[in-house]
Each structure stands twice: as structure tokens, then as C-alpha cells.
Amino acid sequence: MKEMDVFCKIVNGEIPCYKLFEDNDVLAFLDISQVTKGHALVIPKVHYDNFLSVPHDIMHKVMDVAQRIGQVDIKILGAKGVNILTNCYEAAGQSVNHFHVHVIPRYAEGEGFAIEMKAGDAENINLPAIASTIKSELK
Ligand SMILES: [Zn+2]
């Protein structure tokens, strides 16, 4: 049997957490690493590997809770901004193989972490071809 990931253990109560919200499908709690004050994680109670494999209804419930926590971060914690992000697969920085959404309040520019988007090699990417490939798969 595959060993349980840390978030399944939190859902099962084997590992304690600072719970923020819980219903039948969703659990939200403070990330123990606290990239910034109030850094939260929102997860489905049932295991799915990541955002790309979670069913729509569960994804919507998770995102609803993430939105509400982000609103609290601004309104109550005094955050100036919020990053809401989820990583899919190791290549994108996913460290726990259980779908989770980070809600990271931002109080000052550059605090905690930075998301830097550098312009890529657009001149050498065939934009019409890549657009056409993605578009046809979305039909
Ligand atoms: Zn899990």
C-alpha cells in the first residue's frame, strides 16, 4: 500500500494543524512554513494528486474557500495583496502530491517570496502553431 502523504494524514487527524475552515469536502489550515503571516493551504479531503486531476465540483469548492480566505486576508489581516497559487507536478514545484491551493497574504512588496516572470524566447516559438494546437484540444 502506498504511504499516505502529509495532507491525507492531516485530514485523518494523524498530524495536527491550525484549522481555518472545514466542511464535508474541504479543509483549510495554516501552512506550517508561514511564507508570510496567515499563509494558508486549502485542500480537498479526498485525495487527488493535483489541480489537473481534481473533479470540477471539488475544485470549485476548494477555490471558493481560497477566495474567502483571500478576502479575509485583505479585510482583516491588513494584507495589501494575496497570491493564490497551485503547483502541478514536481517540475512546477509541487512538493506534496495532494492537490492544495496556497493563499499567501502579501504585506510588502518582495516579502517572503517573489514570482518573477521573465519574457521567454517568443521570437523562436511558433505562436500560430502552438495556439492552434492548444485551441483544438480545448474544443
Ligand atoms: Zn493525499
Side-chain angles (χ1 to χ4, degrees):
M1 198 175 134
K2 204 179 162 191
E3 200 182 322
M4 247 192 276
D5 65 78
V6 65
F7 294 161
C8 278
K9 287 180 179 174
I10 286 174
V11 169
N12 291 344
E14 288 174 51
I15 295 176
C17 71
Y18 291 98
K19 218 171 265 186
L20 304 175
F21 176 88
E22 181 173 23
D23 66 13
N24 288 335
D25 303 302
V26 178
L27 179 66
F29 54 93
L30 290 179
D31 188 309
I32 206 70
S33 74
Q34 289 293 285
V35 166
T36 63
K37 182 184 71 185
H39 176 191
L41 295 172
V42 189
I43 67 170
K45 285 185 167 177
V46 171
H47 180 97
Y48 296 99
D49 284 353
N50 60 44
F51 177 82
L52 300 180
S53 59
V54 68
H56 286 173
D57 59 330
I58 300 293
M59 175 187 69
H60 293 158
K61 287 175 180 175
V62 168
M63 294 312 286
D64 178 61
V65 175
Q67 183 190 50
R68 289 162 65 191
I69 292 170
Q71 289 165 344
V72 170
D73 291 344
I74 298 288
K75 193 175 169 187
I76 308 298
L77 293 188
K80 302 280 186 283
V82 183
N83 290 102
I84 294 168
L85 59 96
T86 186
N87 304 324
C88 302
Y89 299 114
E90 213 176 314
Q94 183 176 9
S95 56
V96 177
N97 191 36
H98 182 130
F99 172 45
H100 58 287
V101 175
H102 293 268
V103 183
I104 307 175
R106 306 302 294 269
Y107 303 94
E109 207 172 312
E111 180 200 34
F113 79 114
I115 296 176
E116 191 183 357
M117 295 204 196
K118 294 178 193 161
D121 194 15
E123 281 171 24
N124 290 310
I125 293 171
N126 186 337
L127 296 180
I130 194 74
S132 168
T133 300
I134 295 170
K135 193 175 162 186
S136 64
E137 284 299 313
L138 293 176
K139 273 181 190 160

